[in-house]
Amino acid sequence: MKKLFTALLFSFFFSAGWAQCVSTEQDKAGVTAACQDYIQAFYKADTTIAYRSVHPLLQKRGFSYSAANQAYSKQLEMPFPALVSLAKRWNADGKQANENSVQKVQILDICDKTASAKVTAVWGIDYIHLVKEQGKWWVMNVLWQSVPQQKL
């Protein structure tokens, strides 16, 4: 029993050291800025913002809700060139979003090379994975869905 307790205690302390990442204020600011740029590229229909914050190897997948069908779409995929194309036209007329539209960034975790965040925007919720390359944070992966239809 004593050996089991010692093993469990050792396992707990060993895994606890691996489970936490330490981030700096500079990293928090960088992750937040990359996520804000991601939102603003669409809100402002400005592709230059996307180029400064979204990694060219981006993989974006998600689900769009159709009120007419009362169902979510099959999985939609969007690589970087498609994101740039959509950002250019999505709010070009200014009717989708404006400076008062929701643009919330919640950092979930930051390590030295990777980070994750939750973004809430007018289109819904995006879970974002970021990567730090040469001291700069980039949006690398996005999993999104339209505004949730049911509150849990």
Side-chain angles (χ1 to χ4, degrees), residues 49-63:
I49 299 172
Y51 280 102
R52 77 178 181 211
S53 63
V54 179
H55 199 282
L57 297 176
L58 168 86
Q59 290 297 315
K60 181 173 178 175
R61 294 176 173 87
F63 304 91

Side-chain angles (χ1 to χ4, degrees), residues 27-49:
D27 284 328
K28 290 176 187 175
V31 168
T32 300
C35 291
Q36 285 288 343
D37 278 353
Y38 168 80
I39 297 168
Q40 289 301 311
F42 290 100
Y43 280 17
K44 294 182 177 181
D46 184 346
T47 60
T48 61
I49 299 172

